Amino acid sequence: MGMEKPLEFEKPIAELEEELQGLRRKAEEQNLDLGDEMNALQGKLEGTRKQIYENLTPWQRVQIARHTNRPFFLDYLSKSFDEFCELHGDRLVGDDRAMPAGLARIGDHRCVVVGHQKGRNTKENLEHNFGSAHPEGYRKAMRLMRLAERFNLPIVAMIDTPGAFPGIGAEERNIAEAIAANLRDMMALKVPVIAIVLGEGGSGGALGIGVANRVLMMENSYYSVISPEGCAAILWKHRKHAPEAAEAMKLAAPDLKELGLIDGVIAEPEGGAHHDHVATAQSLREALLTQLDDLAKKSSEELRDERYQKFRHFGVWQGEELA
């Protein structure tokens, strides 16, 4: 089966796949023995695929992170979790469809799950506001986190947003305060908190549910204070410099792991999660269960202290003293 919606750098792979399919059709329709030609082309295809995917640039990872065929939060809920029961509303304004949340079970662990949800087409994106949550989304998330604390349940936060919604309505309902309150209150939670960046991890919109004991990232996701395009517009005065910005910002999972800003990287199938939802969901499930099992051994005081110290140490730089 050919590659759907190939990204620009994936086009050589898509062309070889199409050529291979053409040879197969020709062999079947004309009853020809084209085994040698197909084997040679298959070898070339595998080599090209390996060369491209093992040398992805940060900008290419950003493109994969934004792919509309990637599994989203609700996809993982159906494939990695069981018994999801959605809970609605922030008890103040209303329900934010950009931030679904509820109760679920994964393995032997009952938990509260919150996350950003994007859409794959215009209708879904309008329903979920392109994954950009309003203040009521963050307040709903915190309402459920307090519920988790009351019943001693771990919290799993799934991050996938270009950023919190910057519209007038969100400003009027105080989006900055909603995010700031979450940063403060998540730091003091007495239960385990695990955050996973599924695709885009954009600025305060991501951090608003990201104050966690363990922060994991999917292999082809990014986590940053600003989008590459936004950074390029500020520093280079043009969005065309987004690839250079992505490189300079160290926003990809391997870079952030090396810098100690995240705790782990969840492997994706070759080419990215959009090629195999089931295998990706299984990888996420296994990584999450490992973290939940580990954090379940810690006391509430240990969880709070560990979380606090983790974030206090960000930004600390130790260099060699000048001679």
Side-chain angles (χ1 to χ4, degrees):
M1 185 175 175
M3 182 180 289
E4 293 183 15
K5 300 180 182 177
L7 299 166
E8 189 64 34
F9 67 89
E10 291 180 314
K11 286 182 178 176
I13 299 171
E15 289 169 1
L16 287 170
E17 286 181 345
E18 192 175 335
E19 192 176 338
L20 184 58
Q21 286 178 0
L23 270 180
R24 285 177 180 146
R25 281 195 301 269
K26 184 177 179 181
E28 290 172 6
E29 291 168 2
Q30 300 181 21
N31 198 25
L32 298 173
D33 182 8
L34 299 175
D36 291 342
E37 291 89 337
M38 285 191 288
N39 288 337
L41 194 55
Q42 182 69 41
K44 185 177 180 182
L45 171 60
E46 290 173 2
T48 302
R49 186 184 286 129
K50 185 179 177 69
Q51 193 276 328
I52 288 175
Y53 291 137
E54 287 186 357
N55 297 281
L56 290 171
T57 67
W59 177 240
Q60 288 169 341
R61 290 192 191 275
V62 170
Q63 292 175 280
I64 294 175
R66 293 172 174 170
H67 201 291
T68 55
N69 285 345
R70 274 181 81 81
F72 295 147
F73 174 44
L74 294 179
D75 297 315
Y76 285 110
L77 274 178
S78 66
K79 292 180 172 63
S80 302
F81 293 78
D82 301 303
E83 301 171 13
F84 175 59
C85 174
E86 187 170 4
L87 301 176
H88 299 272
D90 68 343
R91 301 296 187 266
L92 294 168
V93 174
D95 189 48
D96 189 352
R97 297 300 299 148
M99 185 88 79
L103 302 165
R105 182 173 61 80
I106 180 168
D108 296 327
H109 299 274
R110 291 181 304 138
C111 58
V112 162
V113 288
V114 302
H116 303 101
Q117 175 66 22
K118 293 180 174 180
R120 289 202 165 82
N121 53 46
T122 302
K123 180 182 177 183
E124 288 182 4
N125 270 318
L126 289 174
E127 178 187 354
H128 298 293
N129 203 40
F130 296 84
S132 293
H134 295 79
E136 47 269 31
Y138 291 97
R139 291 177 180 134
K140 173 172 69 172
M142 182 46 62
R143 180 176 78 82
L144 264 68
M145 290 180 193
R146 290 199 181 99
L147 185 72
E149 190 174 47
R150 192 175 307 143
F151 291 100
N152 197 30
L153 300 175
I155 297 161
V156 178
M158 305 273 210
I159 297 167
D160 192 8
T161 181
F165 187 58
I168 293 174
E171 293 290 347
E172 289 174 342
R173 297 191 300 281
N174 211 338
I175 185 70
E177 186 276 340
I179 291 174
N182 277 22
L183 303 185
R184 177 196 65 201
D185 295 343
M186 287 187 76
M187 195 68 75
L189 289 167
K190 298 176 183 178
V191 293
V193 186
I194 300 171
I196 303 176
V197 183
L198 302 179
E200 292 189 275
S203 194
L207 195 57
I209 58 169
V211 180
N213 295 90
R214 304 286 163 80
V215 179
L216 308 178
M217 288 179 67
M218 302 305 296
E219 184 180 355
N220 295 306
S221 63
Y222 78 88
Y223 200 13
S224 174
V225 297
I226 194 171
S227 71
E229 294 91 337
C231 177
I234 293 170
L235 296 184
W236 285 278
K237 311 302 181 189
H238 202 289
R239 291 164 62 94
K240 71 179 182 182
H241 293 285
E244 295 109 291
E247 182 74 39
M249 290 162 67
K250 303 295 183 187
L251 46 65
D255 292 325
L256 292 172
K257 179 68 172 70
E258 187 176 336
L259 290 168
L261 295 175
I262 64 169
D263 301 291
V265 180
I266 301 174
E268 296 183 21
E270 188 176 63
H274 56 289
H275 289 300
D276 192 336
H277 287 200
V278 174
T280 307
Q282 183 61 31
S283 294
L284 181 140
R285 178 183 173 89
E286 291 170 2
L288 192 48
L289 284 171
T290 298
Q291 297 295 341
L292 285 168
D293 289 341
D294 184 45
L295 291 173
K297 303 168 188 172
K298 298 179 182 289
S299 68
S300 59
E301 290 77 15
E302 286 176 314
L303 291 168
R304 280 186 293 177
D305 290 345
E306 179 188 281
R307 195 183 310 127
Y308 180 76
Q309 293 301 328
K310 175 188 181 66
F311 282 84
R312 287 293 293 173
H313 281 94
F314 287 173
V316 174
W317 179 263
Q318 293 181 331
E320 294 181 8
E321 291 185 9
L322 294 174

